[in-house]
Amino acid sequence: MAVCARLCGVGPARGCRRRGAAREQRRGGAGDSEPDTDTDPEEAGGGGGGGDEEEEEEAAAERIEGGRPASHPAEAGPAGRAPLSLLELPPELLVQIFGSLPGTDLPSLARVCTTFRRILRTDTIWRRRCREEYGVCENLRKLEITGVSCRDVYAKLLHRYRHILGLWQPDIGPYGGLLNVVVDGLFIIGWMYLPPHDPHVDDPMRFKPLFRIHLMERKCATVECMYGHKGPHNGHIQIVKKDEFSTKCNQTDHHRMSGGRQEEFRTWLREEWGRTLEDIFHEHMQELILMKFIYTSQYDNCLTYRRIYLPPSSPDDLIKPGLFKGTYGSHGLEIVMLSFHGKKAKGTKITGDPNIPAGQQTVEIDLAHPLQLPDVENLRDFSELSRIVLEVQEQVRREEQEQEHRQEEEEAASQPAAKPLGGEGAEGEETAAGAEGTTQDKAPASQPFVLPMGVISRNEDYPRTCRICFYGTGLIAGHGFTSPERTPGVFVLFDDDRFGFIWLELKSFSLYSRIKVSFQNAEAPSREAFDEMLKNIQSLAT
């Protein structure tokens, strides 16, 4: 504030300002320095002034918006002297300066004096902030028809709901989900992303709108529920805290269909699975589908959402981390987040099922233990693959026991724990990275791959060559997440966008394909924030 005051010539940096104030008054009142206490972006540029003086300022603002230079009493200092105050600059230049500042700083600027406040009424400033901060590229001049200004759009829509932009996971029991809230033209829309129909894992994601927010009049933004098939209707959004918000539909009768629950179920089945119940012959699969419909439809789009971040990447990562679609047997396709943590890689469920709910770590890959697969003929033999994997599992178990034994010895010897453990951990990660790098250097660019006999795959169109394989474990459990346990398996990297996992105990194969969508406002502010987010969604699932 003091800096702004000094710049405009009303602060203590230039000593007494009575002479300056008198000079500005002689120039037509351009130096009016009434302070303003409003700090809300919604009010920046509003109020202050009146009469002929205000009309003159409004006319100047209109000329500025039209791209024509506007004469102003304070656009230059005395002859031969450069302007000593921002107030002596032409108003069109002030518009350019103010427009380059973050919108959240403009309310403070409006408090400096009523002249600045009048300048901040210029819609050109707010049109630029809408475009640069939120990517609104629509022709905002069309808003004049509805009487809504760009400042209204910024303050009452974009700034007010900025905390809900990004990726979110809805709390729908074990099923979870993936919601992406974006600015779309003059709307904020919440899109629910759905995997493609089973088992077409390489197909693009599907999406449908759950809610939208828009500004049709100056009073406030309107929230509409988009659930159902009767068009938008009245809804409500409550921002609980920065990383959590909830939605509520105020007209759930719009979700009902004339044919009753049977028609609603058939419609949901076509959208969710791309088929009818008669096309699904597997009885257990029918039960799972019906269970999901009954469970999810009871929410009626009244949901709580928690923020999720995309995993941070590193040049040393095996592939780029991110979101993938994966096959999970009778449960269909689910969304998994692949992230790297030193010598480990983790696959966390964003969507889930009654056995392994959303938020749980479905697979863990040990990057320190690559696997050398046999040739194609021997790979067809399931027992041969099992033998290789179980040998590595025993090796991992011994290494973990040795590690625990060393730690116990160090504690018994009363040595400082931080140094040895830190050094050892660093060496372990270097060794893992070294082992991984060596393996990849020695391994061919690609090697033949085929699933062993007896291993079931929902998608037979899997790649027939792979880059490298690693030992890993997969999480399995009974219905209701009962008796969960981690069982050995094989992580198979096919290319930058596809990988697979062989579940030895289930004799099953899951194929994963990258979700190729550019999500905005989804980057984690730090590695610690991402790890905390993973911990939170797993604790909620448990």
Side-chain angles (χ1 to χ4, degrees):
M1 182 60 64
V3 173
C4 289
R6 287 195 298 271
L7 287 174
C8 75
V10 298
R14 294 172 57 195
C16 176
R17 289 292 161 260
R18 292 181 180 176
R19 288 178 300 172
R23 182 176 67 248
E24 297 301 339
Q25 288 176 359
R26 287 196 300 272
R27 292 176 179 176
D32 188 348
S33 58
E34 288 182 29
D36 194 295
T37 58
D38 200 338
T39 60
D40 191 332
E42 187 172 336
E43 300 300 328
D52 296 337
E53 182 182 3
E54 182 173 348
E55 291 177 4
E56 181 183 341
E57 294 288 345
E58 294 288 358
E62 290 176 5
R63 288 196 294 274
I64 294 168
E65 284 193 62
R68 297 186 296 275
S71 60
H72 193 278
E75 70 180 12
R81 178 178 68 77
L84 297 178
S85 164
L86 284 178
L87 291 172
E88 296 178 0
L89 295 176
E92 59 266 30
L93 185 55
L94 289 178
V95 168
Q96 291 295 322
I97 294 172
F98 294 172
S100 65
L101 299 174
T104 51
D105 290 347
L106 298 183
S108 299
L109 193 61
R111 293 174 59 189
V112 174
C113 62
T114 53
T115 298
F116 281 11
R117 192 178 182 89
R118 292 191 195 101
I119 293 291
L120 287 170
R121 290 179 189 158
T122 308
D123 235 25
T124 306
I125 296 172
W126 299 100
R127 186 180 300 122
R128 180 176 175 182
R129 295 326 315 146
C130 290
R131 182 181 68 251
E132 294 186 2
E133 294 182 29
Y134 296 99
V136 178
C137 299
E138 302 291 319
N139 183 2
L140 296 178
R141 291 183 183 274
K142 294 179 181 178
L143 289 172
E144 296 173 2
I145 301 173
T146 61
V148 177
S149 68
C150 294
R151 181 168 65 87
D152 291 330
V153 173
Y154 185 94
K156 298 178 181 179
L157 178 68
L158 303 177
H159 180 76
R160 180 179 178 184
Y161 290 98
R162 68 194 184 280
H163 289 311
I164 71 170
L165 299 177
L167 288 179
W168 303 83
Q169 185 183 50
D171 183 6
I172 315 180
Y175 298 104
L178 180 65
L179 180 82
N180 186 29
V181 183
V182 299
V183 175
D184 188 349
L186 298 178
F187 292 84
I188 291 178
I189 303 180
W191 296 97
M192 181 68 84
Y193 275 75
L194 306 170
H197 293 137
D198 181 57
H200 308 291
V201 71
D202 286 324
D203 286 358
M205 294 285 286
R206 300 173 295 127
F207 47 90
K208 63 179 182 181
L210 290 192
F211 64 83
R212 72 180 186 182
I213 315 169
H214 60 114
L215 196 66
M216 296 303 292
E217 54 185 24
R218 299 191 61 147
K219 292 180 181 178
C220 61
T222 300
V223 178
E224 294 177 324
C225 175
M226 304 290 287
Y227 192 78
H229 298 82
K230 295 183 179 179
H233 46 281
N234 187 259
H236 175 72
I237 287 180
Q238 180 180 4
I239 301 177
V240 181
K241 51 187 178 181
K242 185 178 180 181
D243 294 327
E244 184 177 322
F245 76 95
S246 60
T247 59
K248 180 183 178 182
C249 177
N250 296 329
Q251 295 175 288
T252 54
D253 56 299
H254 280 64
H255 306 168
R256 308 283 81 87
M257 303 186 77
S258 58
R261 295 291 278 173
Q262 286 190 354
E263 184 183 357
E264 292 171 17
F265 174 63
R266 292 194 189 99
T267 303
W268 176 86
L269 188 59
R270 283 195 301 270
E271 294 176 351
E272 187 83 7
W273 291 83
R275 62 182 82 176
T276 64
L277 197 62
E278 291 74 23
D279 297 332
I280 303 170
F281 301 105
H282 198 291
E283 186 176 345
H284 179 57
M285 193 171 184
Q286 290 181 351
E287 293 175 356
L288 290 173
I289 290 172
L290 185 58
M291 185 187 309
K292 184 174 182 179
F293 169 74
I294 294 172
Y295 193 98
T296 56
S297 61
Q298 67 181 336
Y299 285 90
D300 265 337
N301 206 22
C302 299
L303 297 167
T304 297
Y305 298 88
R306 293 177 178 86
R307 184 180 295 281
I308 60 175
Y309 297 116
L310 292 177
S313 60
S314 165
D316 297 328
D317 292 340
L318 188 64
I319 58 173
K320 182 182 177 182
L323 297 172
F324 290 78
K325 307 153 282 184
T327 55
Y328 279 88
S330 300
H331 298 293
L333 299 187
E334 298 183 10
I335 301 174
V336 170
M337 177 184 289
L338 180 69
S339 57
F340 292 91
H341 309 261
K343 57 183 178 180
K344 301 283 186 183
K346 299 177 181 180
T348 304
K349 280 194 171 186
I350 302 302
T351 62
D353 53 69
N355 291 70
I356 308 297
Q360 289 295 336
Q361 188 180 311
T362 177
V363 294
E364 181 175 282
I365 302 102
D366 190 340
L367 301 175
H369 291 89
L371 297 177
Q372 185 63 46
L373 296 182
D375 56 61
V376 174
E377 290 304 317
N378 288 325
L379 184 56
R380 294 181 186 275
D381 184 358
F382 181 78
S383 60
E384 177 63 16
L385 179 64
S386 296
R387 181 190 63 80
I388 295 173
V389 174
L390 294 178
E391 284 180 358
V392 177
Q393 182 188 32
E394 180 61 25
Q395 178 187 346
V396 171
R397 188 185 63 81
R398 288 197 305 268
E399 290 174 359
E400 289 175 348
Q401 288 179 344
E402 291 173 1
Q403 175 74 10
E404 291 175 3
H405 183 63
R406 283 197 298 269
Q407 288 179 355
E408 290 174 358
E409 287 182 343
E410 289 168 356
E411 290 174 2
S414 299
Q415 294 180 357
K419 269 189 163 182
L421 288 179
E424 190 173 312
E427 289 174 8
E429 288 194 11
E430 288 174 7
T431 304
E436 179 188 329
T438 304
T439 305
Q440 293 186 68
D441 291 341
K442 291 182 179 179
S446 64
Q447 58 191 49
F449 176 81
V450 65
L451 286 176
M453 297 293 292
V455 174
I456 301 171
S457 174
R458 294 283 297 172
N459 193 328
E460 293 297 331
D461 189 25
Y462 61 86
R464 294 307 194 267
T465 59
C466 68
R467 289 184 184 174
I468 193 170
C469 299
F470 291 93
Y471 169 77
T473 58
L475 184 62
I476 63 174
H479 187 86
F481 197 48
T482 56
S483 306
E485 61 173 320
R486 304 207 71 86
T487 61
V490 181
F491 172 84
V492 185
L493 178 63
F494 295 113
D495 52 45
D496 288 339
D497 297 321
R498 289 179 296 179
F499 65 87
F501 192 83
I502 301 175
W503 310 74
L504 286 190
E505 186 164 328
L506 302 177
K507 285 194 173 181
S508 176
F509 174 72
S510 292
L511 177 64
Y512 301 83
S513 178
R514 186 182 297 278
I515 296 176
K516 298 178 180 179
V517 177
S518 297
F519 295 109
Q520 303 297 319
N521 302 296
E523 301 299 326
S526 65
R527 181 79 208 193
E528 293 73 23
F530 175 77
D531 291 338
E532 186 66 23
M533 179 271 299
L534 279 186
K535 226 182 282 184
N536 289 340
I537 64 174
Q538 185 170 357
S539 64
L540 290 170
T542 306

